Amino acid sequence: MVEQVLLRAIGVRKSFGALEVLKGIDLEVRQGQVVSLIGASGSGKTTFLRCVNMLEEHDAGDILLDGDPIGYRVEGGKRRRMSETAVSAQRARIGMVFQQFNLFPHLTAEENVMLGLTKVLGKTKAEARDIAGHWLGKVGLEARRGHYPYQLSGGQQQRVAMARAVAMEPRLLLFDEVTSALDPELVAEVLQVMKALAESGMTMLVVSHEMLFVRDVSHHVVFMDQGKVAQAGSPAEVFGNPESERLRSFLGRFHGFF
């Protein structure tokens, strides 16, 4: 059975002033898939993620979630931005975990996870506390639910951020280089949680330089170069048969891994 397309990008373009960062991105993420974006810094990976979550506004093209355009409607032949209320409702269906943990320092781990559940989803505090406890347990932090961010390691803070995102039951979960700010010894614990989420069937769009993780967990890998999709396919195809010198050079940085 072929799973339905959850996210579809068609000809997505984005410029910052005179610099065109995304030059017509086309890709699909099917329900239950892990799709990883790889490529050198500056290739447009993070910008694309931010456009999916409407943290950046794309200039042209369409991004569809469950068939619904994200951020824009075409009315009378003109492209119009949706209301902030409508955009917020769409964002609630998309979770995002950032490089920096973005936890509220004055809230405990439990309260950080509870906040969106009460403010956005309208859960009672009791309901939110139960859900927060469940997901903090899933990421191995049940015993730290009363700790503040400064009392947690970087890896623990990132796992709280992941619990917060998953607790909202998003249709799609975005990961933007979530291990890049961590000390090397903490990377494995975060990747382990991501792997468990993937195995549970969570639909994930991942930007990562952790190539072994990408190879082992992804269903589909997209190599981006200078704002374009340069090659895409299964991990075996992308890592085993790089079609361009650019991809061969990029993978060459991870000598010994492949």
Side-chain angles (χ1 to χ4, degrees):
M1 176 181 170
V2 178
E3 296 292 350
Q4 71 177 43
V5 175
L6 181 65
L7 179 77
R8 176 178 281 124
I10 307 166
V12 175
R13 293 182 175 271
K14 173 66 181 177
S15 296
F16 295 101
L19 178 63
E20 190 175 25
V21 179
L22 300 178
K23 304 174 182 177
I25 301 296
D26 298 315
L27 64 78
E28 291 182 351
V29 181
R30 295 184 177 275
Q31 191 164 335
Q33 275 192 329
V34 178
V35 174
S36 294
L37 307 181
I38 64 171
S41 296
S43 58
K45 308 181 301 296
T46 290
T47 298
F48 179 71
L49 279 198
R50 291 175 64 84
C51 287
V52 170
N53 208 27
M54 280 298 289
L55 296 173
E56 298 285 355
E57 300 184 8
H58 53 291
D59 302 322
D62 293 302
I63 301 174
L64 309 173
L65 183 70
D66 284 320
D68 296 327
I70 292 176
Y72 295 92
R73 290 278 188 268
V74 176
E75 298 174 356
K78 293 187 176 180
R79 186 170 177 264
R80 300 184 187 278
R81 193 181 192 278
M82 294 163 58
S83 70
E84 202 54 48
T85 301
V87 169
S88 294
Q90 290 184 326
R91 280 201 192 106
R93 297 158 64 193
I94 303 171
M96 187 162 181
V97 186
F98 299 85
Q99 295 179 31
Q100 302 299 330
F101 322 124
N102 292 357
L103 299 179
F104 291 102
H106 64 291
L107 300 180
T108 64
E110 179 181 73
E111 290 166 342
N112 266 283
V113 179
M114 289 174 60
L115 188 63
L117 294 168
T118 55
K119 298 294 186 185
V120 178
L121 298 187
K123 303 285 188 185
T124 66
K125 284 193 174 182
E127 289 174 322
R129 189 170 288 109
D130 285 345
I131 294 168
H134 169 78
W135 284 109
L136 287 170
K138 286 285 190 181
V139 301
L141 293 174
E142 169 66 25
R144 303 271 197 297
R145 60 194 295 168
H147 286 54
Y148 290 91
Y150 76 89
Q151 297 173 307
L152 302 172
S153 71
Q156 290 170 335
Q157 290 184 61
Q158 191 60 287
R159 284 187 279 153
V160 173
M162 292 163 73
R164 177 178 62 184
V166 180
M168 298 290 288
E169 297 186 353
R171 297 283 289 140
L172 174 68
L173 198 51
L174 310 177
F175 291 90
D176 183 22
E177 291 284 11
V178 297
T179 59
S180 64
L182 299 177
D183 293 332
E185 65 270 20
L186 302 178
V187 169
E189 66 186 53
V190 171
L191 293 180
Q192 186 176 9
V193 173
M194 290 177 68
K195 188 172 184 179
L197 289 173
E199 290 170 349
S200 75
M202 174 65 69
T203 308
M204 296 160 54
L205 182 59
V206 178
V207 170
S208 181
H209 280 105
E210 300 291 340
M211 290 300 130
L212 289 177
F213 172 82
V214 168
R215 184 191 65 185
D216 293 344
V217 175
S218 304
H219 298 91
H220 196 71
V221 179
V222 177
F223 172 59
M224 290 181 61
D225 183 41
Q226 298 181 342
K228 297 179 179 179
V229 173
Q231 185 175 339
S234 69
E237 291 167 340
V238 172
F239 293 125
N241 186 30
E243 296 172 355
S244 67
E245 182 54 41
R246 297 282 293 189
L247 179 52
R248 283 191 290 273
S249 174
F250 175 75
L251 293 177
R253 303 176 192 179
F254 307 94
H255 180 70
F257 284 7
F258 306 105

